[in-house]
Amino acid sequence: MAPTGHPLLAVRDLSVTFSTPRGTVRAVDSLGFTVEAGRTLGIVGESGSGKSVTSLAVLGLHRGAEVTGSVALEGRELLGLPERELSRLRGRRMAMIFQDPLSSLHPYYTVGEQIAEHYRVHFRAGRSAARKRAVEMLAEVGIPEPARRAGEYPHQFSGGMRQRAMIAMALACEPDLLIADEPTTALDVTVQAQILELIARIQQDRGLGVIMITHDLGVVARVAHEVLVMYGGRAAEQAGVDELFTGPTHPYTQGLLDSLPRLDDADDAPLRAIPGSPPSLLAPAPGCAFAPRCARAAAGTEAERERCRDERPHFAPYGDTARMTACHFAGAVQEAAR
């Protein structure tokens, strides 16, 4: 991939809305971020925060949604491209590992056939060359006896092997950007570690830009260079992984970190949770989306609580680094975290 002077991926002011019988759902609201080649951006947040909707918008996979803003791949705008052009970019330049490999792999075709077909579509390769590529990719992702296993069906693979097969399919055409949507969900801890190590190794070998979407901060700490925290379809905080874990500036980020189990907790210590529920996206609050659940707002003065309820905080630079935050009281939150 030749240098272009542009980030690998630049998302600016991205909004995704859906019309429903109950009203308009603003699933993503004015979101922006960049991904550089060879770097991993972790996107974290509770279910319903807009993580997966964002990834599908990047790939142009939403149907029936209004998508506005800008999504640029090495400076080339993707929003508004004809479907045929987007289809050529998906798989060839951008690829995605979906959350559930069993439902993503077709049960009636062998794993090798599915990887080979993906390769043939983008490179117009013959059947023999595509079959060879499928076996090579299964070997690269660590599946033993790849030539034999290429002839087996998805139900004959374990959960970890199915996820490896999905990675093989995603990388068969050597894309520049890989989006991994909860790639370790429902896998045991040992297999999770193997999958994350595999993605990290392939990224290092190929210089991929990676977006890792997860609700698991442990995964983020292990693989990400930067972290974007989303809440209610909006960006709450973005920082380098070390900055985020050592000094969060948003109460929601602090709540996520507090909910992690600690080694020094007693065996019978209850897990800590953020009280309340995520906001409705049908009628977004005029102020901070997290205000109804925010301990910092609740402990503030009446004027501070009113500001949190009624004035939406800007997602703006904080401090002398590239960190961004959307909290009226970021400094106080960070000081309390330390």
Side-chain angles (χ1 to χ4, degrees), residues 33-240:
F33 59 87
T34 61
V35 180
E36 299 286 352
R39 306 281 288 182
T40 296
L41 173 69
I43 302 183
V44 300
E46 295 168 288
S47 296
S49 62
K51 307 184 302 295
S52 295
V53 174
T54 298
S55 67
L56 294 175
V58 168
L59 292 173
L61 290 175
H62 282 306
R63 299 291 181 270
E66 181 182 358
V67 183
T68 60
S70 173
V71 177
L73 184 68
E74 292 189 312
R76 182 185 185 187
E77 181 60 53
L78 303 185
L79 295 188
L81 277 184
E83 178 59 29
R84 178 172 293 183
E85 290 187 48
L86 271 176
S87 295
R88 282 198 291 265
L89 291 173
R90 285 195 296 261
R92 183 65 187 89
R93 297 291 312 281
M94 308 179 292
M96 186 165 181
I97 305 168
F98 290 95
Q99 186 174 142
D100 182 5
L102 187 58
S103 62
S104 300
L105 291 166
H106 200 294
Y108 295 135
Y109 298 96
T110 67
V111 170
E113 286 175 320
Q114 295 180 64
I115 298 172
E117 180 63 20
H118 178 68
Y119 185 73
R120 290 183 68 200
V121 165
H122 288 282
F123 287 99
R124 301 182 182 276
R127 291 185 181 275
S128 177
R131 162 78 182 184
K132 180 181 178 182
R133 179 62 172 170
V135 173
E136 289 173 350
M137 290 307 304
L138 289 176
E140 183 171 346
V141 299
I143 291 182
E145 301 182 80
R148 180 176 68 83
R149 301 311 294 259
E152 293 183 347
Y153 293 87
H155 72 271
Q156 295 175 283
F157 279 41
S158 67
M161 288 178 64
R162 283 194 292 267
Q163 195 60 282
R164 288 173 184 268
M166 286 298 300
I167 295 171
M169 185 182 299
L171 298 179
C173 297
E174 300 190 355
D176 302 312
L177 176 69
L178 177 66
I179 302 175
D181 188 0
E182 301 277 9
T184 58
T185 297
L187 301 177
D188 66 54
V189 176
T190 302
V191 178
Q192 280 187 14
Q194 293 172 353
I195 295 298
L196 294 176
E197 288 171 4
L198 171 63
I199 293 173
R201 175 181 62 78
I202 292 174
Q203 178 188 42
Q204 185 175 21
D205 291 345
R206 299 190 178 190
L208 288 170
V210 176
I211 298 175
M212 180 69 67
I213 296 171
T214 182
H215 63 277
D216 188 337
L217 284 170
V219 170
V220 166
R222 184 177 187 127
V223 304
H225 297 97
E226 293 85 32
V227 186
L228 172 65
V229 181
M230 292 187 67
Y231 183 78
R234 304 175 186 173
E237 182 168 4
Q238 184 170 357

Side-chain angles (χ1 to χ4, degrees), residues 16-17 24-25 48 80 91 107 112 142 175 188 196 297 302:
V16 183
T17 56
T24 299
V25 172
D188 66 54
L196 294 176
E302 178 55 36

Side-chain angles (χ1 to χ4, degrees), residues 273-286:
I274 301 173
S277 301
S280 168
L281 300 180
L282 282 166

